[in-house]
Amino acid sequence: MSKTKRLSLLLASSILAASLAACGQNGNAASSGNATATASATVPAPDDASATSPTASNADAASSSSSAIPAQTESPQPSTSPSAAPSAAASESQHAVQGTPTALRMAGTKIGWTGGKGWIARTDDGGKTWHTQYKHDYEVLQIFALNDRQAWATLDIGDAKAVKLVKTTDGGKNWSDAGQIPSYAFFHFVNENEAFSGSWTTRDGGKTWQELSVPKDQVGDVYFHDRSNGWAVTQTAGKKFSFLRTQDGGKTWASVYSKAWEEQLNGAVIRSAGKNDAWIELIGGSGMTQTSYSLFHTADGGKSWQPVVANSTAGAGPAPGFKMDDKGVPSNEGSSPGTLYVVDTKTAFLGGQCQACDNPNTLGYTTDGGKTWVNDKPQLPGYGKQLIAAADAKHVSWILTDSQNASVLYVSQDSGAHWTKTHTFAKPEDSAAK
């Protein structure tokens, strides 16, 4: 072979080798890209409606290793970039709830539900994070839970005589229509089929409701603890109020306490933690952004009553059942009543509000059936509705709402002696748009 031919052959071989090397590099790059795409596609996508496992807090999510693929239980949304931890802003948007909460219920120290206008959300970590489970078109009025799987919610559908009832039996993974309650009163289920709301009861899970007999001249809503035992407040023209009890499902009512009072009752709130137990809050007069109120308790079926709280105010007059100068009964902080939440026969929480104050929200409680009353130290902001829920006598959740500012959840693990700011909800839509 001539020298010229040998040089030509060597040059052609070099060009071919270089081309093959380049093709090999491009092939490896393409293969790498396909592997990344495959890995990304096989990451299990979390189900928003199945947030039943504890989730990492925003801070935990932000501090995750950038090389780790987020686990299913640590993120409410599929990660768009499995090799990068979510930003603080992205993490916050994942856990943010749409707006002002209007209902709250805890099914344990860690598990509970809250809801607002158009949504219901669940927490599995004591309120640090919330995950929206159910979206709808109405405002949530109340949530009640028997346990961490069975819960119900009432929605305001604009019907003056009835509210929509929805339920879940799997912890919130699925919510379904459960009928309508012909009452706006507080409702509670005693088992999966039987419930009470004011003078109405159901024994088929809410599909049909029957009205129970109630006494004349009642004030506020009656309260049935079960199908036999119930309580009511009545008021006569002679400036006298009475507490009545039924033990036969409303067929007969007997007065178990009466007291003369010179003013007019404007409301009553009744709760019960046992067939012989009743906590009755009376609402008196109002004036100068103040409202008088009082709280009574019985644990023996009405044979004896413990005056728990008596709040007389200069603008609203004497507390129901008392005179302005009566001594010996504790007063709750706040010039008007907040929310009453009864935990058991010994423990109850009662909020107070002062609309003329910079920090209007206070909370008082008893853990001995009302013999002593403790006024909590915090005075906290928020000019909206108070939402209180307690898993037991020690673990208490307290949401303070506001029409302009973000609502805030505070949690106590020692019956209200100390509070921790646990979660800040998204601002109301109207104020956020400004």
Side-chain angles (χ1 to χ4, degrees):
M1 183 181 293
S2 67
K3 183 176 181 180
T4 302
K5 288 183 177 180
R6 285 199 302 270
L7 289 174
S8 297
L9 181 61
L10 287 173
L11 180 60
S13 299
S14 299
I15 293 173
L16 178 61
S19 298
L20 289 173
C23 289
Q25 289 175 356
N26 290 340
N28 288 339
S31 177
S32 241
N34 289 336
T36 302
T38 302
S40 177
T42 56
V43 175
D47 182 357
D48 289 344
S50 64
T52 56
S53 301
T55 55
S57 66
N58 296 341
D60 292 337
S63 63
S64 297
S65 170
S66 61
S67 62
I69 297 175
Q72 181 171 348
T73 58
E74 293 181 347
S75 174
Q77 296 290 340
S79 174
T80 57
S81 176
S83 63
S87 66
S91 181
E92 181 66 26
S93 67
Q94 288 173 358
H95 297 300
V97 176
Q98 287 93 328
T100 304
T102 55
L104 173 68
R105 190 75 182 189
M106 298 301 293
T109 59
K110 299 294 184 181
I111 297 172
W113 284 272
T114 186
K117 189 174 183 180
W119 55 270
I120 296 175
R122 171 170 165 145
T123 182
D124 288 272
D125 57 11
K128 294 177 183 177
T129 57
W130 296 86
H131 303 280
T132 302
Q133 292 185 321
Y134 179 52
K135 292 185 178 181
H136 49 85
D137 297 326
Y138 311 106
E139 181 174 307
V140 178
L141 297 174
Q142 187 196 329
I143 299 173
F144 185 86
L146 276 180
N147 47 54
D148 62 355
R149 297 185 64 79
Q150 295 174 296
W152 294 260
T154 50
L155 311 179
D156 185 354
I157 57 176
D159 187 334
K161 297 182 179 180
V163 296
K164 182 179 179 65
L165 182 68
V166 295
K167 70 174 181 179
T168 180
T169 58
D170 56 11
K173 293 179 182 179
N174 298 283
W175 289 84
S176 60
D177 190 343
Q180 289 189 353
I181 303 179
S183 167
Y184 273 73
F186 176 87
F187 81 92
H188 68 106
F189 276 77
V190 297
N191 55 53
E192 61 183 9
N193 293 315
E194 190 171 9
F196 300 88
S197 177
S199 60
W200 294 85
T201 183
T202 180
R203 296 184 184 179
D204 58 12
K207 296 176 183 177
T208 61
W209 293 79
Q210 298 78 42
E211 190 169 18
L212 302 169
S213 298
V214 299
K216 296 180 179 180
D217 303 318
Q218 72 180 69
V219 179
D221 296 313
V222 299
Y223 185 99
F224 281 88
H225 173 74
D226 52 46
R227 66 175 61 183
S228 297
N229 297 282
W231 302 87
V233 176
T234 62
Q235 180 175 240
T236 63
K239 301 293 181 68
K240 180 181 180 180
F241 66 80
S242 300
F243 300 160
L244 280 69
R245 182 189 185 189
T246 181
Q247 295 178 274
D248 56 14
K251 295 177 182 178
T252 60
W253 292 84
S255 176
V256 291
Y257 182 81
S258 295
K259 195 168 187 179
W261 190 52
E262 294 301 317
E263 306 293 333
Q264 184 83 6
L265 284 180
N266 291 306
V269 178
I270 307 173
R271 298 290 184 265
S272 172
K275 68 178 184 178
N276 292 317
D277 180 77
W279 300 78
I280 299 181
E281 178 188 8
L282 300 178
I283 311 300
S286 296
M288 298 171 59
T289 70
Q290 301 173 357
T291 299
S292 63
Y293 59 102
S294 54
L295 179 64
F296 298 82
H297 177 234
T298 183
D300 57 10
K303 296 177 182 177
S304 61
W305 290 87
Q306 174 70 53
V308 182
V309 164
N311 267 54
S312 300
T313 64
F322 302 92
K323 296 180 180 179
M324 287 291 291
D325 56 354
D326 278 350
K327 305 295 182 182
V329 181
S331 61
N332 192 38
E333 292 290 338
S335 56
S336 60
T339 299
L340 173 65
Y341 190 96
V342 169
V343 180
D344 52 40
T345 60
K346 296 290 186 181
T347 311
F349 295 86
L350 178 60
Q353 291 188 303
C354 173
Q355 295 300 322
C357 300
D358 291 335
N359 293 308
N361 294 286
T362 54
L363 190 67
Y365 62 92
T366 179
T367 56
D368 58 9
K371 296 177 182 178
T372 59
W373 188 257
V374 179
N375 282 304
D376 224 342
K377 293 181 180 180
Q379 295 182 354
L380 300 171
Y383 289 93
K385 182 180 179 181
Q386 296 178 346
L387 305 175
I388 301 173
D392 52 43
K394 291 184 177 293
H395 298 86
V396 192
S397 299
W398 189 22
I399 295 180
L400 301 178
T401 67
D402 193 278
S403 61
Q404 298 296 322
N405 301 306
S407 301
V408 178
L409 167 65
Y410 300 87
V411 172
S412 174
Q413 298 183 16
D414 53 13
S415 300
H418 301 88
W419 293 91
T420 301
K421 186 176 181 180
T422 304
H423 185 83
T424 300
F425 293 86
K427 285 186 177 182
E429 292 183 1
D430 292 342
S431 64
K434 294 179 180 179

